[in-house]
Amino acid sequence: MRAKNIFKADKGIKCPFCRQYVDGYRSTLTANAAVQRFLLEANKAANIAAAARAAAERKAMGQQGPAPAAAAAASSAGSSSSSAAAASGGLRPPSAGASAAAAAAGEDQTWNCGGCGRQNFIWREFCSHCKRPCANPYATDKLSQTKKVGRGGLADKLSQTKKVGRGDWVPADILLYGDWDTGCCCANAYCYTYATDKLSQTKKDLSAVSREELVGYIRDQGGFSLRKGLRDMGVSIDGQKSYGSVQSVREATAMFGLKRVLHIAEMLCDPDALRDASLHYLGNIGVQRVFESLAKLRLAFPPDRPNKDMQEWTAAHGGRDPFACLLSALLARSLEFCMHDKGVYVAQCAANLASNAELVEMAKAVFPLALPVSRDPRGVFVLLSLLDLFSQRIWEDTVNCSLALQAVDLLCNQFSCSDKQLVHTCHHALSGKVVVRAIAVSMPRTPALKLAIKIASHAATLAGSGGGLTTLMELMQLYGHNQQAAEGLRDVVTMMCYSLQGQMGRFATSKDEAAQEMLLCLVERLGHEQEVGWLDSIAQELVGCADALQDNPGGMEILKFTLSQPCMDLDNISAHISDMKHLLGKKALLPVVADVMERVGANPLPPAAPKYPAASVIQPELKYYLSQGWRTPLPPPPPPKAGEPGYEEYAAQAAARAEAQAAAAAKARAEKEAAAKARREAAAAAAASATLTWLHTIFTTIGMIAMAAVGFFEIKRVPVSKSLPVATVYVGFIVLNNLSIQLNTVGFYQISKIAITPVVVAIEWAFYSKPASPRILASIAVLLTGITLATVTDSQVSSRPLGMLVAAINVCVTGLYQVWAGSKQRELGLNGLQLLHQVAPLSVALLAVMIPLLEPVGFTNPGPDTVLGYTLTPGAAFWIIVSSMLGLVVTLSTFLFIGATSSLTYNVVGHMKTVLIVAGGVLLFGDSMSAKKLAGLGCAMAGIVWYSQIKLGEASKAGKQ
C-alpha cells in the first residue's frame, strides 16, 4: 500500500520479491469500502508511473512507437542476443536495446558519476550528490563492454573464470559455482546482483594506499574492500562478522606478515579518518570488521608471546597495540560516535571487544557527556552497553573495579547535579533506564544513593508520564547485592512512598494500567521489605475509596493484594475490612473477604527473624511530624559487631527476640491448623446432615412399627399415591431447611422462619377455603412483629441470590407440609399415628435416593470427609441414638398436635417456643437484654395471648352450639 510513494517516485514501486514494477493492486478485503477507495488511488498512481517509465524507455531507445511495443522489441532483441552468446560459449557486448529491456523489466541498474563517484539509479539524469549530468545512462566502461551476461543466460565454466567489471549483472546460479564474490544474501536463481572478481576488488595494494584512498574504499565497499588485507592475517569477513581463530592468525602472519593490516590500522588511527569511515552506512561495517580483526590479533600475540611487527608497532605508539590506538582515535570523537546512527554501532563493537582497563577509559570519555548523550536513543544504547559490561566484568577485577566505580560515580553526579535535568531525563523510559542502571552498579556508594533518593523524592512528578512510571518501577526492582545496598534501596522505596502519600487511591482508581502496575509493584516491594507501616497506610487509602474500586477490577485486585501481604497483622486486616463494610455493604463485602482470607491462608509463615534490625526511618507519620515542626526521629545505631562493647547484651536480646518470634510463629501455625481442623469438622457435620436425618427417619419408622405391634394404634392401609405427597414435602422440608441455614445469614434465616406463618394462612385460604378472621390476622401480625424484634439482630439481613431462592422454596414447602399434616388426616380418615406410619417408610426411601446427590458418600474413595469414611465412636453412636429418639418424639408430636388443632396454631406454639428460648437465655445464662429485645418479647407474648383468647372464645361458642 504505497500510493504516496508512487506519486513521489519517478518510475514507481517495485515488488520486493520479484523485483518487477508494480502496475496495480488488488485487495483481499473486498467488503471494505475505505480500502477499495485507497486502492483506486494507488492504481491510478501506478498507471501514471507506468506511463512515465514507458516515456523514459522511448527516450532512451530513440523510438517514437508505443511503450509496450518498444519494451517487447527490446526484450526480444536481448533474448536472441543472449541465446547467440550462450551458443558461442562467450559473452555478448551490451546494446542500448538490451539495457532498455532490462530497465523496462524492472532490474536495478546504476551508473557511476564521473565527478564524485556516487552511484545513481539508471533512471536519474543528474547525479543525486553533485548534480552532474549523465551523458549516457546506459553506457558502461571499457572493461565491462565485453563481459555482460544477460538475464536468463547461461555461462559455462570457461566464462566463469573471466573478469567481470563492476556494475555487471550475473545470475546467482553462476555465482554459486564460479570464482565470484557477491554481497547477495539469498542464493536464488531469479536474483541478480553486482559481482566482482576476487582479484579485482581493489585495484591498489592496501599496504601502499593513502589515508584518503583507504577511507574512500571503506565508504564505497564496506568490509569487502579490506578482505585481501585481512586475509593476510588469517581472518575472513562478510557483511555480518569476521571469522578466524588464534591459530589461523598465527599461521597466516608467519606466511604473509602484518604489513597490510598494520598499515590499515595506521591509516585509521587518525580520529578524523576513523570518523569519516565510520559515519557511513557501509563504512561502519568495515570499521567494525577492523576492530574485530585487531582484537583477534591481540589474542594471538599476547605480551608473553610477542611478534616482531607488533613489537615495532607498540614501541612506535607509546606501548599501545593497534586495537588500543584505534580505540583512542574513537574516544577522541566519542560524542560524534555516540550521537550518530551508524557510529553508535562502531562504539558498541569497540566496547564489547575492549579490556576492562579500556572500558574504564571509554567510561571516562563518555560519562562526562552523559546529559547530552542520554537525550538521544543512540547515545542511550552506548551508555547501557558500558554499564552492562561493567556489571558483568568488573567485580572480579580487583585492579580496575575501584576505577570503574569511580567512573560510574561520575555518571551519577552528572545526573544529580540538577533536579530539573534529572526529572527531564527520568520522564523518558530509555534515559531513565540509564540512570537506574548506574544506580544498580554503584550502590551503596554515596553518589548512587543520593541520585536514587532524588528520583524517589520526585516520584509524584514522575508518576504523571509513562516514561516516569517505567523509571520508578525499574528503581523498585533493585534489591542490592549486599546488606548495606539492600537497606539503602529500602529507604529509597519508603522515600518514594512518602512522595506518593495521599495519591494511592488515585492510582488504584485510574484507568491507566501503567499506574496500577506501578502501585502493585510498590506494594509487592514493601511486602518484601516487611514495611508494615507503609502497607497499612496504603491499605487505609485504598479502603477509603473502596466504593470506587468496585467497578475497577485492577484497583480491587491491588486492595486485596495489599491486605493479603504475609507481613500484615490479622488485627489490621480485620480493621480495614470493618471500614470497608460501611462503604460496600455486607453483600458486596463477602466475596472480597473470602478472597482475602483465602490468600492469607495460603501465605507462607512469617520468618522467625526480621529482615532488618529496625524499620526505615521514613514512615507514614513523618509528614505529620514535619508539618507540626517536631523533631524527626533519628535512625537507630547499627548493631555492635563481635568483640565490640555491648555485643554480648545485643546478642542476648537478639536471641530472646528470635525465641519469642519462633514461639509466636509456632502459635500462629497451631492456630492455623486448629482453624483448618475446625473447618473440616464443620464441613463434615454439614455434609452429614442428610445422613443423620435418614437415620432419624429409620428410627421413626421402626418406632411406629413397634407401637403398632404392641397395639398402640390400629394399622390402616391407604394407597401409596395418597401418602407419597406428604412424604415428599416432609423430606423437602428437612433437606431445604438444612440448606437454608447453610447458605444464608442467621438474620435472613429467622426472617424466612417468620414468613412460614403468613404462607400457611395463604395456603389455607387459597386451597382449602379457610380464611382467617381479621382478629386472628391482627393477633398473628402482633406476634410476628415481636418475634422479629426479639430474634433478628443482624444490621444487614441480605443474602446471596442462591440462598434467597432456597429460603423461598423452603418457606413454601414447609408451609405445605404443615397444612398437609392436618388436612391429609381428615381427607384419608387417619389419625396422626396412622398417617406417620404410612409416611415414614416412604421418607426413608426418598432420603436414601437423595443422600448421594447431597453428600460425599465415598463409594470409590472413603475419605475422612465422606459418609463411609466416618469413624463411628461409642460416644457418637450414643448421641445418634439419643437424637433419633428425640426426632421420633418431635415428628410424632407434630402430627398429633396439627391433627388435634390446626397448622396455624402449630405455628403460634412454635413462636411461643422461640420466646421461651430467648427468655431462658437471659434468665439462665446471662444473655444481654436490650430494649429492642425486651420490647420484642413483650409484643410476641401479647400476640400469643391475644391469639389464645380468640381460639378459646371460638371453642366455647362451638361447645355451646
Side-chain angles (χ1 to χ4, degrees):
M1 302 294 292
R2 300 183 178 180
K4 296 181 180 180
N5 289 335
I6 290 177
F7 281 118
K8 295 177 183 178
D10 295 331
K11 303 202 66 170
I13 299 300
K14 288 183 179 181
C15 172
F17 302 101
C18 66
R19 305 300 298 162
Q20 302 294 322
Y21 283 107
V22 173
D23 293 326
Y25 298 89
R26 65 183 180 85
S27 173
T28 58
L29 306 173
T30 55
N32 194 324
V35 173
Q36 295 297 328
R37 287 194 300 270
F38 193 87
L39 288 183
L40 183 60
E41 293 183 10
N43 288 331
K44 289 180 180 179
N47 292 334
I48 295 173
R53 290 198 303 273
E57 177 190 345
R58 289 195 300 272
K59 178 180 178 182
M61 296 174 58
Q63 298 178 0
Q64 300 299 326
S75 178
S76 176
S79 177
S80 61
S81 301
S82 296
S83 300
S88 62
L91 301 176
R92 67 175 179 81
S95 64
S99 299
E107 299 176 3
D108 280 333
Q109 293 201 13
T110 61
W111 58 272
N112 290 339
C113 176
C116 64
R118 178 67 63 91
Q119 278 189 348
N120 298 278
F121 287 113
I122 196 67
W123 43 268
R124 290 191 184 275
E125 297 181 1
F126 297 89
C127 175
S128 62
H129 181 65
C130 65
K131 308 303 180 184
R132 180 173 179 174
C134 176
N136 186 1
Y138 294 99
T140 53
D141 56 19
K142 293 181 179 181
L143 291 176
S144 63
Q145 287 183 358
T146 61
K147 306 176 181 68
K148 203 68 128 172
V149 178
R151 184 180 183 187
L154 300 175
D156 57 14
K157 291 195 175 182
L158 292 176
S159 66
Q160 294 174 17
T161 61
K162 296 189 176 183
K163 291 184 178 181
V164 176
R166 186 168 184 270
D168 294 333
W169 294 94
V170 179
D173 53 356
I174 295 178
L175 297 176
L176 290 175
Y177 302 103
D179 190 17
W180 308 98
D181 181 23
T182 174
C184 179
C185 59
C186 60
N188 191 305
Y190 298 101
C191 177
Y192 288 76
T193 183
Y194 290 113
T196 56
D197 182 20
K198 288 183 178 179
L199 298 177
S200 63
Q201 286 183 15
T202 305
K203 297 181 176 61
K204 290 189 177 182
D205 186 3
L206 290 179
S207 62
V209 295
S210 65
R211 180 173 284 113
E212 291 75 13
E213 289 175 328
L214 180 62
V215 171
Y217 287 146
I218 295 176
R219 289 170 63 93
D220 192 32
Q221 300 181 28
F224 298 106
S225 62
L226 307 172
R227 179 171 289 183
K228 176 62 177 174
L230 298 180
R231 189 189 297 118
D232 289 350
M233 62 167 286
V235 176
S236 60
I237 63 173
D238 59 14
Q240 300 296 325
K241 62 184 296 186
S242 59
Y243 305 91
S245 63
V246 172
Q247 186 63 28
S248 67
V249 172
R250 291 172 180 170
E251 292 176 357
T253 304
M255 295 175 60
F256 302 106
L258 294 174
K259 182 179 179 181
R260 288 191 177 92
V261 175
L262 295 180
H263 183 74
I264 293 172
E266 181 69 35
M267 295 298 101
L268 292 178
C269 280
D270 180 67
D272 294 332
L274 183 64
R275 178 198 58 197
D276 293 341
S278 301
L279 307 186
H280 188 266
Y281 73 99
L282 286 178
N284 84 92
I285 299 176
V287 174
Q288 289 182 61
R289 302 295 86 81
V290 173
F291 269 106
E292 292 171 357
S293 302
L294 295 180
K296 294 179 187 295
L297 189 63
R298 169 186 283 179
L299 294 175
F301 299 107
D304 58 347
R305 188 166 182 169
N307 175 272
K308 181 180 178 182
D309 295 333
M310 288 285 289
Q311 285 180 330
E312 293 177 356
W313 171 283
T314 304
H317 293 83
R320 295 181 299 177
D321 61 7
F323 182 91
C325 293
L326 208 61
L327 181 62
S328 177
L330 184 148
L331 296 181
R333 300 287 186 271
S334 56
L335 181 61
E336 297 177 65
F337 277 90
C338 293
M339 302 288 282
H340 195 274
D341 56 348
K342 302 302 179 185
V344 66
Y345 296 113
V346 177
Q348 288 182 340
C349 176
N352 291 330
L353 298 171
S355 64
N356 290 346
E358 290 168 341
L359 273 180
V360 173
E361 295 300 322
M362 289 189 71
K364 290 180 179 179
V366 175
F367 286 171
L369 308 172
L371 289 179
V373 168
S374 62
R375 297 187 189 127
D376 193 297
R378 292 159 291 199
V380 166
F381 287 115
V382 175
L383 294 173
L384 288 176
S385 297
L386 290 174
L387 291 170
D388 287 341
L389 291 171
F390 275 166
S391 62
Q392 296 167 12
R393 291 162 51 175
I394 67 170
W395 302 113
E396 297 179 358
D397 189 345
T398 57
V399 176
N400 295 296
C401 182
S402 60
L403 299 176
L405 291 177
Q406 290 175 10
V408 179
D409 289 344
L410 176 63
L411 179 62
C412 294
N413 289 329
Q414 287 288 320
F415 284 119
S416 60
C417 62
S418 170
D419 288 5
K420 185 176 180 181
Q421 290 283 354
L422 178 61
V423 171
H424 177 76
T425 301
C426 294
H427 269 305
H428 297 81
L430 282 176
S431 303
K433 187 175 293 187
V434 174
V435 178
V436 175
R437 199 72 56 87
I439 294 171
V441 173
S442 185
M443 280 294 289
R445 296 165 71 92
T446 302
L449 185 60
K450 178 182 176 182
L451 179 59
I453 289 292
K454 277 197 172 186
I455 296 174
S457 64
H458 292 290
T461 304
L462 294 175
S465 67
L469 289 172
T470 303
T471 302
L472 292 177
M473 283 190 286
E474 291 191 355
L475 186 58
M476 292 176 202
Q477 293 168 1
L478 297 181
Y479 289 91
H481 57 277
N482 56 31
Q483 180 73 9
Q484 187 179 0
E487 289 190 21
L489 290 171
R490 186 271 311 266
D491 292 335
V492 169
V493 174
T494 55
M495 185 65 195
M496 200 179 299
C497 294
Y498 178 84
S499 178
L500 298 174
Q501 194 173 13
Q503 303 184 41
M504 306 299 183
R506 179 172 66 87
F507 293 138
T509 57
S510 172
K511 300 297 182 181
D512 185 6
E513 294 183 359
Q516 293 184 342
E517 184 180 359
M518 185 275 296
L519 183 55
L520 197 66
C521 184
L522 180 60
V523 171
E524 182 180 7
R525 181 59 187 271
L526 291 172
H528 176 79
E529 302 293 349
Q530 301 177 8
E531 287 292 332
V532 181
W534 279 112
L535 286 173
D536 191 63
S537 175
I538 293 175
Q540 188 174 359
E541 287 191 46
L542 298 183
V543 167
C545 57
D547 51 345
L549 296 178
Q550 278 186 292
D551 301 327
N552 193 322
M556 185 58 72
E557 174 62 27
I558 295 173
L559 175 56
K560 296 177 185 177
F561 185 69
T562 306
L563 292 176
S564 60
Q565 287 298 304
C567 58
M568 285 287 284
D569 187 70
L570 287 177
D571 294 337
N572 292 339
I573 297 175
S574 302
H576 292 310
I577 290 176
S578 177
D579 293 339
M580 277 195 293
K581 183 177 180 181
H582 301 293
L583 293 172
L584 301 181
K586 190 173 182 180
K587 179 179 180 181
L589 183 63
L590 286 176
V592 177
V593 175
D595 193 3
V596 170
M597 298 314 296
E598 182 180 358
R599 299 185 189 192
V600 171
N603 281 337
L605 292 174
K611 187 173 182 180
Y612 302 106
S616 174
V617 178
I618 306 172
Q619 290 295 318
E621 58 271 13
L622 180 61
K623 184 171 289 189
Y624 177 75
Y625 290 161
L626 296 177
S627 64
Q628 298 296 321
W630 295 354
R631 291 182 59 186
T632 57
L634 296 175
K641 298 180 181 180
E644 294 181 352
Y647 174 75
E648 295 180 357
E649 182 181 357
Y650 170 76
Q653 293 176 355
R657 187 167 53 250
E659 184 178 356
Q661 290 174 349
K667 182 180 178 181
R669 188 183 298 109
E671 291 177 353
K672 186 176 181 180
E673 293 176 355
K677 182 178 179 180
R679 287 195 297 270
R680 289 195 300 269
E681 292 176 353
S689 59
T691 303
L692 189 60
T693 303
W694 181 61
L695 295 176
H696 291 177
T697 309
I698 291 176
F699 192 88
T700 301
T701 303
I702 295 173
M704 297 308 298
I705 294 173
M707 284 189 286
V710 298
F712 202 77
F713 63 90
E714 181 184 356
I715 298 176
K716 187 175 182 181
R717 303 289 181 183
V718 296
V720 175
S721 59
K722 300 291 185 180
S723 57
L724 183 60
V726 181
T728 303
V729 296
Y730 171 71
V731 172
F733 148 68
I734 295 174
V735 172
L736 292 173
N737 197 54
N738 291 330
L739 285 177
S740 178
I741 200 170
Q742 291 178 22
L743 295 176
N744 296 299
T745 62
V746 175
F748 192 84
Y749 177 72
Q750 290 289 358
I751 289 178
S752 66
K753 285 185 63 178
I754 293 170
I756 294 174
T757 303
V759 169
V760 169
V761 174
I763 290 174
E764 290 184 341
W765 171 74
F767 297 100
Y768 295 95
S769 301
K770 293 176 59 179
S773 65
R775 295 177 64 202
I776 292 290
L777 294 177
S779 64
I780 291 175
V782 173
L783 168 64
L784 296 182
T785 301
I787 293 295
T788 302
L789 292 174
T791 59
V792 179
T793 58
D794 290 355
S795 59
Q796 297 287 338
V797 295
S798 58
S799 181
R800 292 179 292 176
L802 178 61
M804 296 175 66
L805 177 63
V806 171
I809 299 174
N810 177 49
V811 168
C812 297
V813 170
T814 303
L816 191 59
Y817 160 67
Q818 293 178 3
V819 171
W820 279 359
S823 63
K824 290 297 182 180
Q825 295 183 32
R826 294 184 291 272
E827 180 182 337
L828 300 176
L830 304 174
N831 59 28
L833 295 172
Q834 292 170 336
L835 181 60
L836 184 57
H837 180 266
Q838 297 294 316
V839 168
L842 297 176
S843 301
V844 171
L846 291 175
L847 282 171
V849 173
M850 295 185 67
I851 285 175
L853 302 177
L854 299 174
E855 300 173 358
V857 180
F859 291 116
T860 58
N861 185 19
D865 295 337
T866 62
V867 175
L868 297 180
Y870 178 75
T871 302
L872 185 63
T873 61
F878 171 76
W879 287 112
I880 289 174
I881 294 173
V882 171
S883 64
S884 298
M885 294 174 62
L886 295 176
L888 169 63
V889 174
V890 169
T891 306
L892 183 59
S893 63
T894 299
F895 277 80
L896 292 175
F897 189 87
I898 293 177
T901 57
S902 68
S903 56
L904 185 59
T905 303
Y906 174 78
N907 269 273
V908 173
V909 172
H911 292 311
M912 180 63 186
K913 176 197 68 175
T914 302
V915 171
L916 293 177
I917 290 173
V918 174
V922 174
L923 296 176
L924 301 178
F925 300 102
D927 291 348
S928 62
M929 174 63 74
S930 62
K932 173 174 168 286
K933 184 183 292 187
L934 181 61
L937 289 178
C939 186
M941 286 303 300
I944 293 171
V945 171
W946 190 9
Y947 180 85
S948 302
Q949 189 268 335
I950 294 171
K951 283 296 184 180
L952 290 174
E954 291 178 352
S956 63
K957 286 183 180 180
K960 291 179 180 180
Q961 292 175 356

